[in-house]
Amino acid sequence: MRARYILGEILTGLWRNIAMVISVVIVTAVSLTFVGTGVLMQKQIMDMKSTLVEQSQVTIFLCSPHSTASSCAGGAATDAQIDSVREALEGEVLSPYIASVEERDQEEALAIYQEQFAGESFVSNFTAEDMPVSFHITLSDADDSAAVVEFFQGRDGVDEVTDLLSTFAPFIDVLNQSTLFALGLAVLMLVAAVLLVATTIRMSVAGRRREIAIMRLVGASNLFIRLPFLLEGAVAAIIGGLIASGMLWLGLNHLVQGWLAPTLGEQLITVSTADLVWAAPLLVVLGAVLSIASSVVSLNRYLKV
């Protein structure tokens, strides 16, 4: 009977303040969507940095017959120039900074090229002699990449030196800034949601003064009187959390996996709808906790029992 009464009071309170409840649901849903977006973006940034660090951070492409760099004026890199680069990588100056080196000869480079552009008609026009020899370097510390690039850039026989982390650095910076913006906006929206919950509880208390007075007279406990008000805000916040989870699912499914992952590569874009298995419950719990905390403060102020 008590559970049925409390459930009835919750439904009554929600219906009496339906406009405020809808506002709470909408604001909570939007704010938790930004929270979830920020958390998932931060996970993506961490995964991307980890992937880039694990991969070859610095790649040295030696001259091919088609290279136009000034260091390639003599044509394709000679065996002596290739040996010079190899010895430098194994020497005392650079070896402390290098974790591993993978050398790809022209045959391997051609195979990778043919795989990347499979089905294109121009692939058959290239042979192994057209491909550059390359060294793919994994560093012990990613912060040393600039020094390695500077060491080989412009060296005779070296066409280009690329730094994978530097290539993606602008993209990572954009993600970091977007994360901060999303979390900052989420905080503002959560504050608005908390204030709306407090206002809703105050209106519910004012609308049920007579019922509260009767319950006081019959000796109802403080918890029994307060519980319907606490659960009203929690129900609205939980609904908002579920809506936020749905919005995140749509974004991850259509925007991230449907467009971003095919564009940038599935190896770099690791966040997916599977992450909602742990993110969605956290959002729902966060919404409920903030709502209950706001309700407790509001009840302590407006409900004297």
Side-chain angles (χ1 to χ4, degrees):
M1 291 296 293
R2 288 188 175 185
R4 184 180 301 176
Y5 170 78
I6 291 174
L7 180 60
E9 287 295 299
I10 293 172
L11 295 175
T12 300
L14 292 174
W15 180 251
R16 283 180 178 177
N17 304 296
I18 187 64
M20 292 295 294
V21 170
I22 292 175
S23 299
V24 171
V25 170
I26 294 175
V27 174
T28 303
V30 173
S31 59
L32 291 179
T33 298
F34 280 108
V35 172
T37 300
V39 171
L40 292 176
M41 287 178 65
Q42 195 58 42
K43 177 184 180 298
Q44 172 59 55
I45 293 170
M46 294 173 63
D47 290 346
M48 180 178 293
K49 287 183 177 179
S50 177
T51 299
L52 294 176
V53 168
E54 290 174 359
Q55 293 179 354
S56 298
Q57 298 166 5
V58 176
T59 303
I60 303 173
F61 294 98
L62 288 107
C63 299
S64 71
H66 308 286
S67 299
T68 58
S70 58
S71 56
C72 300
T78 63
D79 291 339
Q81 290 171 334
I82 296 174
D83 290 337
S84 175
V85 172
R86 188 183 296 117
E87 290 171 2
L89 292 172
E90 297 173 354
E92 295 181 358
V93 176
L94 293 180
S95 58
Y97 306 102
I98 297 176
S100 63
V101 178
E102 178 188 356
E103 182 178 347
R104 292 180 185 172
D105 59 26
Q106 291 175 305
E107 294 291 343
E108 292 174 319
L110 178 63
I112 293 174
Y113 182 80
Q114 291 173 338
E115 181 181 354
Q116 290 179 339
F117 297 97
E120 300 292 343
S121 58
F122 58 80
V123 173
S124 59
N125 298 329
F126 292 91
T127 63
E129 287 71 21
D130 297 309
M131 299 293 109
V133 175
S134 59
F135 293 87
H136 301 261
I137 307 166
T138 299
L139 301 178
S140 301
D141 188 346
D143 295 333
D144 297 327
S145 59
V148 176
V149 171
E150 184 178 354
F151 187 90
F152 287 102
Q153 193 72 57
R155 191 188 188 102
D156 287 341
V158 175
D159 181 14
E160 182 184 10
V161 184
T162 61
D163 180 1
L164 193 60
L165 286 176
S166 296
T167 301
F168 284 94
F171 180 67
I172 292 176
D173 288 340
V174 169
L175 287 180
N176 277 321
Q177 296 298 323
S178 300
T179 300
L180 294 176
F181 175 78
L183 292 177
L185 190 57
V187 170
L188 293 177
M189 298 296 290
L190 285 173
V191 171
V194 167
L195 294 177
L196 277 174
V197 170
T199 303
T200 303
I201 296 303
R202 183 179 65 180
M203 294 175 62
S204 295
V205 171
R208 280 185 268 177
R209 277 183 255 176
R210 179 174 298 179
E211 292 91 333
I212 294 171
I214 294 173
M215 284 190 287
R216 287 174 180 165
L217 292 175
V218 299
S221 65
N222 288 348
L223 179 61
F224 186 76
I225 296 174
R226 291 169 180 260
L227 193 57
F229 299 105
L230 294 174
L231 295 180
E232 281 179 27
V235 168
I238 289 173
I239 294 174
L242 294 175
I243 294 175
S245 300
M247 294 172 67
L248 287 174
W249 182 87
L250 289 174
L252 289 171
N253 188 56
H254 296 287
L255 181 61
V256 176
Q257 293 184 321
W259 172 69
L260 197 58
T263 302
L264 296 179
E266 296 182 359
Q267 188 177 8
L268 283 178
I269 306 301
T270 57
V271 67
S272 66
T273 53
D275 291 305
L276 289 179
V277 172
W278 59 267
L282 287 179
L283 294 178
V284 173
V285 171
L286 176 62
V289 169
L290 290 177
S291 174
I292 291 174
S294 176
S295 299
V296 169
V297 173
S298 183
L299 288 172
N300 288 337
R301 182 174 182 181
Y302 298 109
L303 180 61
K304 305 299 182 182
V305 295

